[in-house]
Amino acid sequence: MKKTILILLLLTATPLFAQSYPEGIWQGYDGEWKHVSKQLLDLAEATPQEKFAWRPAPGVRSTSEVYMHVALANFYLLSITGAKVPAELKLEMEKSVTAKADVINWLKRSLEAVKEAHATVTPKDLDRKVHIADRDATVEGMYLRIIVHANEHMGQLIAYARMTGITPPWSNKE
């Protein structure tokens, strides 16, 4: 009986909370990409310049290095699908680009590049075989890796933010 009441409460309470769900979630790849992109950019904007150099321990990526790692990985993984990357993009930028405005610019460019590239992909394109590292994959697999990778590092950046006294902007709304 208690279980039935709990289930009924949860089912009837859902409409009350429906308006508070973040935009994009449960809306397929494009919606989820929009969601993680917004979170990455909102958190980067909320982080003061001086916190971009913070790292939790020696030898671990700093805040700016994590953001640049995400940006570089977005472009690299897209390149496996056949997309063009900016000519000025260099691997060493993960460590050399540290100014907040520059980091955010590269992050925005990479997020937009993924969004635009995915918008042009057809179902047939998603099945196309590609080769990365030592294995074969599909274009669809590459897009899955891109979004999983972005979310993985979003979690890392949330931890960094909280460790340095920054509350993620979307947490302030709750």
Side-chain angles (χ1 to χ4, degrees):
M1 178 67 168
K2 287 181 185 178
K3 220 183 242 187
T4 303
I5 291 172
L6 179 60
I7 290 171
L8 286 173
L9 283 173
L10 289 173
L11 289 174
T12 58
T14 303
L16 297 175
F17 299 111
Q19 293 179 6
S20 67
Y21 293 124
E23 186 179 348
I25 63 170
W26 304 306
Q27 296 176 352
Y29 186 93
D30 293 333
E32 294 291 343
W33 185 250
K34 181 178 183 178
H35 177 69
V36 73
S37 295
K38 181 170 179 10
Q39 283 190 313
L40 283 164
L41 291 171
D42 286 353
L43 189 57
E45 292 286 355
T47 303
Q49 169 63 52
E50 64 273 10
K51 303 291 185 183
F52 271 62
W54 184 86
R55 65 182 75 240
V60 177
R61 284 185 176 112
S62 69
T63 300
S64 68
E65 290 169 349
V66 175
Y67 281 115
M68 287 304 297
H69 171 75
V70 170
L72 291 169
N74 287 343
F75 283 122
Y76 169 68
L77 294 170
L78 271 181
S79 76
I80 300 299
T81 72
K84 300 286 183 214
V85 299
E88 68 274 24
L89 196 69
K90 306 285 183 243
L91 189 58
E92 60 269 8
M93 292 172 73
E94 183 175 311
K95 294 190 183 306
S96 66
V97 176
T98 58
K100 177 178 176 173
D102 296 334
V103 170
I104 290 173
N105 179 53
W106 278 105
L107 182 62
K108 281 180 181 177
R109 286 178 68 181
S110 76
L111 297 170
E112 189 63 25
V114 172
K115 177 184 167 188
E116 288 177 6
H118 191 262
T120 67
V121 174
T122 67
K124 185 178 177 183
D125 291 333
L126 291 174
D127 290 335
R128 184 169 46 85
K129 300 286 184 210
V130 295
H131 190 79
I132 182 166
D134 64 344
R135 64 187 59 179
D136 291 326
T138 62
V139 169
E140 182 177 37
M142 299 311 300
Y143 279 103
L144 181 59
R145 174 81 314 235
I146 291 169
I147 200 166
V148 167
H149 184 257
N151 276 289
E152 172 187 346
H153 288 295
M154 170 49 68
Q156 179 184 13
L157 289 161
I158 290 169
Y160 278 29
R162 293 207 182 269
M163 290 166 68
T164 59
I166 299 162
T167 301
W170 57 89
S171 293
N172 290 332
K173 295 175 184 173
E174 295 172 4

